[in-house]
Amino acid sequence: MDFEEIVIRTDRLDFPALVAGDGPVVVCWHGFPDHPATFGPLAEHLVAAGRRVVAPFLRGHHPATAEQMPYGDGLTLAADGAAVAEALSPDAPVDMIGHDIGAGIVGRLAAVWPERLRRGVTMAVPPPRTLPAMLSDPAQQQRLFYMWLFQLPDIAEAVLETDRRLVDYLWSTWSPGLDPGEHRERVHAVYGDPRLLRNALRIYRGNFDRALHDPELGPLAARSEVPADIPLLVLAGEDDGCIPPEYFADAEAGLAPGSSVRIIPGAGHFMQLDQPAEVARIVLDWINT
């Protein structure tokens, strides 16, 4: 997919983004360790179906925003998602897909700013309400070893700045058998920039360190973690080595009525690359209703 890079100007931040196609907007938010261009194979199908795909860089994940990440909490990122949606479509809600960290953006945006979301899709991460049970499982704690490593100041930076073998390891275990091809170089370039790497670590540390939470958004925090009032499509990869599909079994308990949870056969964590045609089919069925 040949993307064009643009800048989306919002009242919060100017977001660099990759765009392709014409028609109703589908905003795609990436996760870690990732790059917006990995939405390319999925975007080809969405563009062919008459959609304009907009894939922003997360705050602090592009050189233009490297110095603009004072906070790393999930609510900050969701507020960014709402601002981007408003800038792209001031008078109507937009369709939105979130993968990994991006799934948290879509879920929290749906709960706090539902007027900005027409149809939402989350990929590879279950709803917030199901996370405590998942995190209490020692086997899952082991799979999430990188999250605990990232809490260690200086050590995490040293591990990731020395080389990107950990990034390659996560990709190979999360989507077994996937050859990332040209995306490997893109992802390495992002986390090879110490400024962008530190910003990614701030997101993970923001899960536990309240000093990284924006106090102005604090009154919205409780609302952001409960099920949204609007239905969501939740996708999981059958072969995901980060969060296996069994942790999505109770996902509907954390979702609004009318939501749907789907397991993608033959897909790992990076399902937009593993099975782009099947993911596109399911997504288009969802957003076209």
Side-chain angles (χ1 to χ4, degrees):
M1 170 58 66
D2 293 326
F3 282 113
E4 173 191 0
E5 185 167 324
I6 65 168
V7 175
I8 303 168
R9 305 196 183 279
T10 81
D11 58 1
R12 289 178 58 78
L13 187 70
D14 291 343
F15 289 88
L18 304 182
V19 301
D22 294 299
V25 168
V26 181
V27 182
C28 299
W29 288 100
H30 69 90
F32 171 90
D34 210 350
H35 186 286
T38 63
F39 281 110
L42 175 60
E44 288 184 8
H45 296 279
L46 300 180
V47 168
R51 294 292 182 138
R52 178 169 176 79
V53 174
V54 180
F57 288 80
L58 292 176
R59 173 187 290 266
H61 283 62
H62 185 283
T65 64
E67 308 302 329
Q68 300 180 52
M69 195 169 183
Y71 304 107
D73 58 301
L75 195 49
T76 285
L77 301 180
D80 289 345
V84 165
E86 182 177 12
L88 292 171
S89 181
D91 301 320
V94 302
D95 297 318
M96 192 173 292
I97 301 169
H99 176 254
D100 191 81
I101 291 172
I105 291 177
V106 174
R108 292 183 176 94
L109 187 153
V112 182
W113 296 279
E115 71 279 3
R116 292 292 161 208
L117 186 66
R118 196 188 76 85
R119 298 291 267 175
V121 181
T122 68
M123 299 164 58
V125 175
R129 177 171 283 187
T130 67
L131 295 179
M134 182 186 80
L135 293 174
S136 68
D137 181 355
Q140 186 59 28
Q141 293 168 8
Q142 185 177 35
R143 293 185 192 95
L144 298 177
F145 76 93
Y146 64 97
M147 288 183 60
W148 323 130
L149 170 64
F150 291 171
Q151 304 309 310
L152 303 176
D154 300 327
I155 295 176
E157 285 85 346
V159 167
L160 287 164
E161 287 179 10
T162 300
D163 56 51
R164 252 65 64 199
R165 283 184 295 170
L166 176 57
V167 169
D168 290 339
Y169 175 80
L170 295 177
W171 270 71
S172 66
T173 55
W174 291 0
S175 270
L178 173 66
D179 179 2
E182 62 186 354
H183 297 301
R184 180 178 184 272
E185 183 177 347
R186 291 190 179 104
V187 171
H188 278 223
V190 171
Y191 303 105
D193 183 328
R195 302 170 302 164
L196 309 188
L197 169 61
R198 285 172 167 76
N199 286 336
L201 293 174
R202 288 175 76 79
I203 292 176
Y204 282 95
R205 290 169 183 166
N207 289 323
F208 305 99
D209 184 355
R210 293 194 174 276
L212 293 174
H213 292 206
D214 184 348
E216 292 189 5
L217 296 174
L220 303 175
R223 184 172 153 201
S224 72
E225 302 307 305
V226 301
D229 292 332
I230 59 176
L232 296 173
L233 171 64
V234 175
L235 303 181
E238 182 181 52
D239 303 320
D240 193 329
C242 179
I243 304 179
E246 57 262 33
Y247 296 107
F248 291 78
D250 297 324
E252 290 187 3
L255 298 168
S259 297
S260 178
V261 180
R262 302 286 298 273
I263 308 300
I264 309 299
H269 192 74
F270 297 96
M271 64 188 77
Q272 68 270 38
L273 294 175
D274 287 310
Q275 297 290 343
E278 179 63 7
V279 171
R281 182 187 68 80
I282 295 170
V283 167
L284 286 167
D285 282 348
W286 178 256
I287 64 179
N288 286 336
T289 57

